[in-house]
Amino acid sequence: MPLIQVSRLSKQYAVAERRPGFWGALAGLVRRRTRLVQALDEISFSIEPGELVGYIGPNGAGKSTTVKILAGILVPTSGEVTVAGRVPWRERIAHVATIGVVFGQRTQLWWDLPVIESFELLRDIYRVSPAEYRRTLDELIAIMDLKDLLDTPVRQLSLGQRMRCDVAAALLHRPAVLFLDEPTIGLDAVAKLATRELVKRLNREQGMTVILTTHDMDDIESLCTRVIMIDEGRILLDGDLDQLRRAATTERRLVIILADEATWIEVPKATVIHRQGARLTLRFDPATVSAASLIADITGRYAIRDLYVEHPPIEEIVARLYQGRTP
Amino acid sequence: MRDTLHLYGSYLAASLRSQLQYRASFLMMTAAVGATSFLEFATVWALFERFGRLADWSLPEAAVLYGLVNVAFALSEALARGFDDFPSMVRSGSFDRVLLRPRSTALQVAGSRIQLMRIGRLLQALLVLAWGAHALQIRWTLEQVGIACLAIGGGVALFSGLLVLQATFSFWSTESLEVFNIATYGGVETTQYPLSVYRRELRTFFTWFVPLATVTYFPTLAILNRSDPLGSTRAFQTWCPLLGWLFLAICLQIWEIGVRHYRSTGS
């Protein structure tokens, strides 16, 4: 039984068109001209408990519309959704008590209060019993290493620390599913790694179902077992990382480090796409030449210190998929 | 209900602690708000100084009315301030967070910002009320205290209703609707003078449509033991503040319509 079931979900917005200039603004007050925008066009997918799904797409693709509908904020135009057996927008209060949502750019904590006081307010808001609260809080303190942060006012936390507290805040009522919206945005490298590690542990060790929207492809690569890519309100791709790669391109990269920087290299059936000192990156298509024969050819002719085969970076793949959409 | 009050209490405590983080600023704002409202009462005083009586009301009698109106206004401004700041909440997207929490939206918006420095205005209004009552040597019987409490409660409900109504419009328009200040601030200004000084149309408006006068003017008559030139009965004067609660209930229904609109458009 899937935890989240979405079928033929559509959402249209009427967007007010602003006419330029003073008279345009005045006319807009009297009569609004609106234009229908199809934010979501009959999308369907389902998510099982314990999955960690990356939901990606360019700006304006319909990501946040989907998340808002799943979270019970928005009412769709048509289609069916159940999350843990409930229709989110029909039973808002019962539904939101079972989900946790973290917005990377907006904290839900009270800015001027110590973290622990925000937690206590959330306890009252979510009607968590004192015993249950104590138990969950102790667990979260242990998992996320919050001990030293609890008495600090939120405004004095670093972005990374705040993210940890925000994730904890979203879990105090033990939700069945966690939505993370751009959780690593604006974080420094160390905090990004720590946040990813945290999400990974929540998912792998606690079995938390996580839906992650992000622009950071490293998030996807290091976290997600499954990716749903959406563009112009339709699902472009739904599968694991390998499927994502195959959908875009079959090409591979061969990185070689030459023994001698000065050597010029030329290999049939592969193109040099990047050269930096002794380090070269070649592009080849495994359908026309196998990695083994390519390597044999190169090592037979040149002095090589090191070499390895890799996939094109996920950013490039995603960019290629976005470009490959209907022109 | 108890649970709701408990949560509102938690919001209140959190606001208090937040604001006490900036102690000096809190005290100065409180003092400033108090001082400004004293200047406001000075204009009432100046008017009576010049004309002696107004529609046969003496200054101390007007002070009692002024006190009741402003105690109610100060309380509602402190308790429902979140609605005053609501347009920015919609613009910044914070209202989404409200919808993500399993509580009534109105309760959360009210609790999002409770402005305690309005206590300055509250203290000033109480002082004016006490002075007026003292000068008139009002004997505070149980009945009169009851009427005063009903009036203040009705006033708080009514002003809160206006703030809710004003906030509701930001679901449709991002422009701030200064027009509403006519009803709130203008309403306070209007109702701190006896209703009988106004023309009939204005009286009707503030008695029945936005029943500001209803919740304060008529009960004040009962407290002062004055007969009403407009001919209202004592029972009406005592119980009419309940209309304020009806007004609030209606405004909260309209608020729900606004929330529904927001959830279908998402902006």
Side-chain angles (χ1 to χ4, degrees):
Chain A
M1 176 72 185
L3 185 62
I4 298 176
Q5 180 89 53
V6 176
S7 70
R8 302 171 66 99
L9 181 65
S10 291
K11 177 71 192 172
Q12 287 181 334
Y13 294 110
V15 181
E17 287 202 319
R18 283 175 195 269
R19 277 161 277 182
F22 173 76
W23 293 110
L26 205 63
L29 281 179
V30 183
R31 233 182 95 199
R32 281 203 179 169
R33 217 186 285 164
T34 56
R35 173 171 57 91
L36 273 187
V37 173
Q38 187 84 28
L40 290 177
D41 192 5
E42 304 217 322
I43 65 166
S44 305
F45 58 85
S46 64
I47 293 173
E48 298 291 328
E51 280 197 273
L52 204 170
V53 180
Y55 197 65
I56 61 175
N59 290 330
K63 276 188 315 244
S64 64
T65 303
T66 316
V67 171
K68 279 182 178 178
I69 291 172
L70 292 183
I73 296 174
L74 262 185
V75 181
T77 313
S78 65
E80 280 160 39
V81 177
T82 53
V83 178
R86 281 197 193 83
V87 179
W89 59 91
R90 245 173 246 144
E91 303 166 73
R92 181 185 73 82
I93 288 187
H95 169 67
V96 295
T98 65
I99 62 167
V101 183
V102 176
F103 294 114
Q105 284 161 307
R106 291 200 301 266
T107 179
Q108 70 157 323
L109 306 169
W110 278 255
W111 195 243
D112 288 319
L113 294 181
V115 175
I116 188 73
E117 292 190 21
S118 287
F119 286 0
E120 282 163 6
L121 260 167
L122 288 168
R123 175 197 62 198
D124 293 347
I125 290 173
Y126 283 90
R127 300 183 172 99
V128 182
S129 74
E132 178 83 350
Y133 169 73
R134 198 60 250 172
R135 201 160 60 81
T136 313
L137 185 62
D138 285 344
E139 246 175 67
L140 291 172
I141 289 172
I143 301 172
M144 308 202 191
D145 191 19
L146 299 174
K147 210 158 171 238
D148 301 328
L149 303 179
L150 291 179
D151 295 317
T152 316
V154 174
R155 62 167 193 276
Q156 289 171 13
L157 297 175
S158 74
L159 266 179
Q161 291 171 329
R162 207 181 78 197
M163 184 48 64
R164 250 151 69 203
C165 296
D166 253 307
V167 172
L171 297 175
L172 282 171
H173 56 288
R174 297 190 167 265
V177 52
L178 179 64
F179 293 91
L180 297 172
D181 187 35
E182 300 279 357
T184 56
I185 203 163
L187 300 185
D188 62 43
V190 178
K192 263 186 193 177
L193 284 179
T195 304
R196 280 183 203 131
E197 196 49 43
L198 177 65
V199 175
K200 204 181 277 181
R201 286 182 54 197
L202 280 173
N203 175 254
R204 314 275 140 95
E205 289 167 25
Q206 315 282 316
M208 176 67 66
T209 311
V210 181
I211 295 171
L212 172 88
T213 69
T214 184
H215 278 103
D216 189 328
M217 293 308 148
D218 289 338
D219 287 351
I220 297 289
E221 194 141 33
S222 63
L223 287 177
C224 299
T225 43
R226 176 177 163 200
V227 180
I228 298 177
M229 185 192 273
I230 179 173
D231 191 23
E232 292 182 333
R234 290 198 197 99
I235 289 179
L236 277 188
L237 187 136
D238 180 353
D240 58 20
L241 279 179
D242 279 341
Q243 278 171 284
L244 179 67
R245 289 200 179 92
R246 257 179 279 133
T249 170
T250 53
E251 86 173 40
R252 294 277 191 286
R253 305 280 164 92
L254 176 64
V255 180
I256 50 184
I257 296 158
L258 299 166
D260 178 9
E261 244 187 70
T263 317
W264 184 248
I265 197 166
E266 217 158 306
V267 190
K269 294 178 186 156
T271 339
V272 178
I273 55 167
H274 187 70
R275 171 156 200 170
Q276 189 183 26
R279 186 192 162 93
L280 279 116
T281 308
L282 286 85
R283 185 171 66 198
F284 68 98
D285 183 354
T288 48
V289 56
S290 74
S293 65
L294 194 64
I295 290 167
D297 177 28
I298 293 170
T299 47
R301 291 193 287 142
Y302 305 101
I304 301 294
R305 189 135 49 88
D306 193 8
L307 91 179
Y308 55 93
V309 178
E310 64 172 21
H311 291 290
I314 206 95
E315 275 103 356
E316 271 189 48
I317 290 175
V318 169
R320 210 171 285 192
L321 278 175
Y322 291 169
Q323 279 159 16
R325 69 197 190 197
T326 43
Chain B
M1 186 64 198
R2 243 188 76 203
D3 192 39
T4 301
L5 283 177
H6 173 72
L7 178 59
Y8 191 81
S10 309
Y11 277 130
L12 189 73
S15 286
L16 183 63
R17 280 196 298 268
S18 294
Q19 280 159 42
L20 287 179
Q21 295 261 326
Y22 308 95
R23 205 157 309 205
S25 140
F26 176 73
L27 289 176
M28 265 151 57
M29 278 305 283
T30 306
V33 169
T36 334
S37 20
F38 259 114
L39 278 178
E40 232 179 72
F41 185 66
T43 59
V44 179
W45 175 82
L47 208 61
F48 277 88
E49 184 68 8
R50 175 75 183 76
F51 298 105
R53 289 175 92 77
L54 216 58
D56 204 35
W57 282 55
S58 66
L59 179 60
E61 287 174 320
V64 171
L65 179 61
Y66 175 99
L68 284 176
V69 171
N70 279 282
V71 165
F73 187 56
L75 281 173
S76 72
E77 257 208 318
L79 300 179
R81 179 76 186 175
F83 288 100
D84 216 15
D85 291 329
F86 188 68
S88 71
M89 223 174 159
V90 170
R91 246 176 284 131
S92 70
S94 319
F95 188 62
D96 286 350
R97 181 52 78 182
V98 167
L99 287 169
L100 285 174
R101 290 179 176 156
R103 289 306 186 118
S104 98
T105 50
L107 171 68
Q108 292 184 68
V109 173
S112 69
R113 197 156 163 197
I114 299 167
Q115 218 171 28
L116 290 153
M117 53 203 166
R118 299 288 152 180
I119 271 177
R121 183 193 270 278
L122 181 67
L123 291 176
Q124 181 263 355
L126 281 172
L127 273 175
V128 172
L129 177 64
W131 173 78
H134 177 75
L136 293 167
Q137 296 186 307
I138 292 179
R139 282 188 19 256
W140 288 103
T141 62
L142 204 61
E143 192 198 352
Q144 274 164 322
V145 172
I147 294 173
C149 289
L150 269 177
I152 290 171
V156 170
L158 186 96
F159 282 123
S160 303
L162 283 172
L163 289 171
V164 169
L165 202 59
Q166 178 167 13
T168 302
F169 278 85
S170 38
F171 285 124
W172 281 276
S173 164
T174 47
E175 279 114 87
S176 86
L177 289 160
E178 299 294 330
V179 166
F180 267 93
N181 291 343
I182 296 174
T184 48
Y185 294 96
V188 175
E189 288 286 317
T190 310
T191 47
Q192 62 201 19
Y193 297 99
L195 189 66
S196 45
V197 305
Y198 298 110
R199 286 171 60 96
R200 202 168 143 227
E201 297 79 37
L202 212 58
R203 289 203 306 256
T204 312
F205 181 77
F206 281 115
T207 306
W208 298 111
F209 293 101
V210 179
L212 270 169
T214 311
V215 299
T216 48
Y217 170 74
F218 295 110
T220 307
L221 291 174
I223 293 169
L224 298 175
N225 262 320
R226 286 183 64 105
S227 64
D228 182 9
L230 308 172
S232 61
T233 65
R234 176 94 182 181
F236 176 77
Q237 292 167 1
T238 306
W239 296 107
C240 62
L242 294 179
L243 265 180
W245 294 97
L246 180 66
F247 184 80
L248 175 62
I250 293 170
C251 293
L252 285 172
Q253 287 307 307
I254 299 174
W255 165 262
E256 288 302 327
I257 297 173
V259 173
R260 232 170 292 144
H261 174 77
Y262 178 91
R263 292 180 67 197
S264 68
T265 59
S267 57

